[in-house]
Amino acid sequence: MRDVLYLEQIEQAETLLKPQRVDVLRQLAEPRTCTEVAARLEQTPQRVYYHVKQLAAAGLVEQVASRKVRGISEGIWQAVARSYWLSPRLVGRIGGVRRVSDELSLGHLLDLMEEVQADVAALDRSAPELPSIGVSGEIRVPAERRQEFLHDLQSTLQDLFARYGGVEGDAFKLAVACYPKGEDRD
C-alpha cells in the first residue's frame, strides 16, 4: 500500500468524491471482503460490491486475494493508498485565467504549490532516505519596507542557486512561498 495516491484524473476524483464510497474506502484500509465491509457499514454486500467495483475501476482499490465461501470465490479488497491527494487542477480556479508569468502574483504561488504537491506525491516513500526540509515562519514587514524585503529574499535565493546550481550531485528542488498571512486560524 502506498502512503499517498495523487489524483490527477477527473474520473478518479468523481469516483472518490461520493460519501458512501469514502466510507467503503476507509473500511478497506485493511484487506476485507465486501461482506465484511457491508456488515461494518450496515449495508448490503451487493451495494458495497457496486462501490468497490467503481473504486477498483478508478484504480483506488485492488483485489489482494480471494477465498472460497460455499463454493463461490469471494474477493478480498484493499485501498491502494493510505491517503489521497486531489490535484488543485481538478478543483478549478476562481476568478478566471491566472497570470502565471508574474512571479509576484498569487496565481504563480498557486501554480508553485501545485507543483510541489505533485512532486512530493511522486516521491518513493520506500527509499531508505528522503533528505528534505520544511520551514515555516512569520515575518512582519512594515509596508514601506515590503519591496526591500522581497528584493533581499530574491537576492538571497539567487545567491544559493548560483553557489549550488552545478551539474553534479543530487538534484533538489527549492520552492519558497511568501504571501500575506491573513486572519489567524485556530
Side-chain angles (χ1 to χ4, degrees):
M1 177 185 284
R2 297 170 58 175
D3 279 341
V4 176
L5 180 63
Y6 188 64
L7 304 180
E8 295 184 274
Q9 298 173 1
I10 191 72
E11 297 80 16
Q12 287 179 308
E14 287 173 344
T15 300
L16 178 63
L17 296 177
K18 298 201 179 331
Q20 289 180 330
R21 289 193 189 139
V22 171
D23 290 342
V24 169
L25 192 60
R26 283 188 181 125
Q27 292 300 315
L28 293 174
E30 300 294 327
R32 292 192 172 105
T33 66
C34 291
T35 303
E36 292 168 333
V37 172
R40 289 171 162 263
L41 296 177
E42 298 178 356
Q43 294 186 13
T44 65
Q46 294 82 4
R47 178 179 214 127
V48 169
Y49 181 73
Y50 169 78
H51 291 301
V52 167
K53 288 310 252 181
Q54 297 296 313
L55 291 165
L60 305 175
V61 301
E62 63 187 359
Q63 186 173 343
V64 295
S66 63
R67 65 181 178 203
K68 291 277 187 185
V69 178
R70 293 182 214 113
I72 297 173
S73 180
E74 185 176 35
I76 300 172
W77 300 87
Q78 185 172 19
V80 298
R82 291 185 195 342
S83 60
Y84 299 83
W85 288 358
L86 188 62
S87 169
R89 281 186 215 123
L90 298 179
V91 179
R93 305 291 186 195
I94 297 172
V97 179
R98 296 185 317 204
R99 297 171 293 138
V100 296
S101 61
D102 180 3
E103 288 184 349
L104 298 178
S105 75
L106 291 178
H108 180 69
L109 180 62
L110 289 172
D111 284 342
L112 178 62
M113 292 302 101
E114 185 175 320
E115 188 176 320
V116 169
Q117 182 175 324
D119 289 348
V120 169
L123 290 175
D124 178 8
R125 299 248 180 347
S126 65
E129 182 182 12
L130 288 172
S132 59
I133 184 174
V135 178
S136 177
E138 183 176 312
I139 295 175
R140 296 193 176 262
V141 180
E144 65 273 6
R145 298 195 60 203
R146 203 173 289 152
Q147 289 304 317
E148 177 186 354
F149 165 72
L150 292 173
H151 179 267
D152 287 348
L153 179 60
Q154 187 174 26
S155 295
T156 301
L157 293 173
Q158 285 173 338
D159 180 52
L160 283 173
F161 287 133
R163 276 195 281 160
Y164 298 102
V167 293
E168 294 181 10
D170 296 331
F172 285 87
K173 181 127 188 197
L174 175 65
V176 176
C178 183
Y179 53 92
K181 185 175 176 210
E183 293 184 30
D184 287 333
R185 293 182 292 261
D186 291 333

